[in-house]
């Protein structure tokens, strides 16, 4: 790992696009949380996670599958394992605790990510940015201080669900850091080459079909490989699907009753194609375009979005939720100034 802090940053248009992606992802994830908790409360989480993984293979081209590249596959396997476990524990948390508690716990990933990024010297320690992260977490906690009801009768294993939520937040932090450190957008999609200690000036063209790796010169003369985002996520879906295929035979052999209705099928389709394939691809782009910390802070925007949805539907919006949402927005804006 380099001991120098990355001083380059993406061009402003890409940074702005990354923020717009975060806003869209917030809407998608808000709906997904409601769907999973309301229509898939008893659907096996390992199976749901597996079915949500395979669509990532749609990002691969036939020529790339026929000519696999080991360095990319190695990174994708690590990324896929982290992604799978993070989402598995997230779905488990939604089945054992409230959406409110799960949302609050997910915001803790912003602090975890900031600590990891600072330790890796990807970000400088900045009291202002740390304060903004604190505001976001505080806003989520304040907003959740009402309406949760403790989850006593509805969620008898609430504390176990909260633990699952925290584990998911830690996993997603590592997933985000890995994407930021090792992935770069393809040149054909307007990407840029990140040069440590230098400026963004384009960089070399992508090599043979499918490989799309870039060599980034560090200050100390070492080179750090960068992998094309689309290709990495495509292989992530392929490798995770292959390694996790045992999930389906397990439920078939054990005779576990897996209920399937049109509502459940529709919810799974949404989670797989929209909540995972589309939103996670845009999420990874937002990480590359902005920063790992900014992207994870964006998770907390689900709090004001939930308040806005309740207000539109004519539901009660108390002062705690308004104050909490305000803190989240202020923290998010502050970390981007």
């Amino acid at each position: 790992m380099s001991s120098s802090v990355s001083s380059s940053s993406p061009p402003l248009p890409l940074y702005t696009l990354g923020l717009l992606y975060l806003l869209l992802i917030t809407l998608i994830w808000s709906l997904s949380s409601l769907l999973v908790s309301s229509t898939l409360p008893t659907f096996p989480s390992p199976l749901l996670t597996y079915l949500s993984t395979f669509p990532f293979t749609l990002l691969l081209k036939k020529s790339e599958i026929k000519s696999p590249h080991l360095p990319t596959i190695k990174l994708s396997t690590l990324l896929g394992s982290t992604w799978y476990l993070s989402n598995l524990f997230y779905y488990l948390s939604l089945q054992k605790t409230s959406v409110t508690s799960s949302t609050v716990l997910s915001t803790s990933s912003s602090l975890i990510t900031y600590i990891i990024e600072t330790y890796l010297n990807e970000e400088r320690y900045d009291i202002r940015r740390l304060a903004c992260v604190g505001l976001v977490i505080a806003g989520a906690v304040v907003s959740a201080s009402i309406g949760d009801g403790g989850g006593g009768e509805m969620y008898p294993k609430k504390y176990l669900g909260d633990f699952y939520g925290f584990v998911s937040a830690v996993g997603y932090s590592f997933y985000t850091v890995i994407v930021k450190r090792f992935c770069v957008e393809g040149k054909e999609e307007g990407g840029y080459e990140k040069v440590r200690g230098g400026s963004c000036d384009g960089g070399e063209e992508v090599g043979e079909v499918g490989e799309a790796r870039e060599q980034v010169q560090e200050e100390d003369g070492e080179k750090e490989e960068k992998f094309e985002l689309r290709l990495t996520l495509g292989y992530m879906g392929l490798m995770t699907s292959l390694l996790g295929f045992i999930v389906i035979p397990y439920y078939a052999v054990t005779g576990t009753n897996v209920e399937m209705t049109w509502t459940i099928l529709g919810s799974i389709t949404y989670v797989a194609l929209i909540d995972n394939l589309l939103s996670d691809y845009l999420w990874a782009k937002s990480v590359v375009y902005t920063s790992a910390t900014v992207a994870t802070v964006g998770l907390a925007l689900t709090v004001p979005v939930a308040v806005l949805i309740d207000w539109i539907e004519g539901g009660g919006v108390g002062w705690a939720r308004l104050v909490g949402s305000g803190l989240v927005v202020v923290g998010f804006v502050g970390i981007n100034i």
Side-chain angles (χ1 to χ4, degrees):
M1 298 296 181
S2 173
S3 60
S4 61
V5 179
S6 175
S7 60
S8 62
S9 59
L12 184 58
L14 290 183
Y15 192 95
T16 303
L17 183 59
L19 295 181
L20 292 177
Y21 283 159
L22 284 176
L23 295 178
L24 176 59
I25 292 166
T26 298
L27 295 175
I28 294 175
W29 284 356
S30 296
L31 178 57
S32 177
S33 296
L34 293 175
L35 277 178
V36 173
S37 62
S38 61
T39 64
L40 303 170
T42 59
F43 196 85
S45 296
L47 183 58
L48 175 60
T49 308
Y50 176 79
L51 294 175
S52 302
T53 301
F54 185 76
F56 279 103
T57 57
L58 297 176
L59 296 174
L60 288 175
K61 301 174 183 177
K62 291 183 179 179
S63 58
E64 293 168 340
I65 297 178
K66 293 178 181 179
S67 303
H69 302 89
L70 291 180
T72 303
I73 290 177
K74 289 180 180 179
L75 175 64
S76 297
T77 302
L78 171 62
L79 202 61
S81 300
T82 307
W83 183 93
Y84 186 92
L85 291 175
S86 176
N87 279 268
L88 172 61
F89 280 102
Y90 177 68
Y91 293 141
L92 285 172
S93 72
L94 286 177
Q95 293 176 345
K96 296 185 181 300
T97 189
S98 66
V99 174
T100 303
S101 292
S102 184
T103 300
V104 171
L105 287 165
S106 68
T107 62
S108 63
S109 63
S110 58
L111 178 59
I112 298 170
T113 301
Y114 183 69
I115 292 174
I116 297 174
E117 286 284 273
T118 303
Y119 175 77
L120 294 176
N121 294 305
E122 287 293 320
E123 288 204 36
R124 292 186 177 87
Y125 173 76
D126 186 334
I127 189 64
R128 178 183 64 82
R129 292 175 71 83
L130 181 59
C132 288
V133 172
L135 279 177
V136 169
I137 296 177
V141 172
V142 170
S143 181
S145 64
I146 63 170
D148 194 14
E153 296 182 0
M154 185 177 296
Y155 301 101
K157 297 183 178 180
K158 180 180 184 300
Y159 294 109
L160 180 59
D162 291 343
F163 172 74
Y164 288 156
F166 178 73
V167 172
S168 173
V170 173
Y172 220 84
S173 295
F174 280 97
Y175 169 78
T176 307
V177 170
I178 294 172
V179 168
K180 180 62 178 178
R181 191 166 182 83
F182 295 106
C183 295
V184 68
E185 266 288 27
K187 299 291 291 183
E188 73 279 1
E189 295 184 49
Y192 65 96
E193 182 179 282
K194 178 180 176 184
V195 182
R196 294 180 177 276
S199 59
C200 298
D201 58 358
E204 61 187 77
E205 294 293 328
V206 175
E208 297 180 358
V209 175
E211 185 64 16
R213 288 183 291 146
E214 296 185 3
Q215 300 291 339
V216 180
Q217 186 71 39
E218 294 187 344
E219 284 183 332
D220 57 5
E222 295 181 0
K223 291 183 178 180
E224 182 180 85
E225 284 184 318
K226 290 287 183 175
F227 299 83
E228 185 189 357
L229 181 61
R230 176 193 58 78
L231 185 67
T232 302
L233 293 181
Y235 272 125
M236 182 187 84
L238 179 61
M239 298 309 297
T240 306
S241 298
L242 292 176
L243 295 175
F245 183 73
I246 191 175
V247 171
I248 294 179
Y250 169 79
Y251 286 104
V253 172
T254 58
T256 304
N257 183 29
V258 179
E259 182 183 6
M260 182 61 69
T261 64
W262 286 111
T263 299
I264 291 177
L265 180 60
S267 297
I268 293 175
T269 302
Y270 174 86
V271 170
L273 297 180
I274 306 300
D275 181 51
N276 283 299
L277 177 59
L278 176 60
S279 72
D280 271 67
Y281 184 42
L282 295 181
W283 162 266
K285 281 191 172 186
S286 72
V287 172
V288 174
Y289 289 165
T290 58
S291 75
T293 301
V294 169
T296 48
V297 164
L299 287 172
L301 292 177
T302 53
V303 174
V305 167
V307 172
L308 179 61
I309 292 176
D310 285 347
W311 178 74
I312 293 176
E313 292 181 343
V317 179
W319 68 268
R321 299 188 70 187
L322 290 175
V323 171
S325 298
L327 290 175
V328 169
V329 173
V330 170
F332 180 74
V333 172
I335 207 169
N336 284 286
I337 295 178

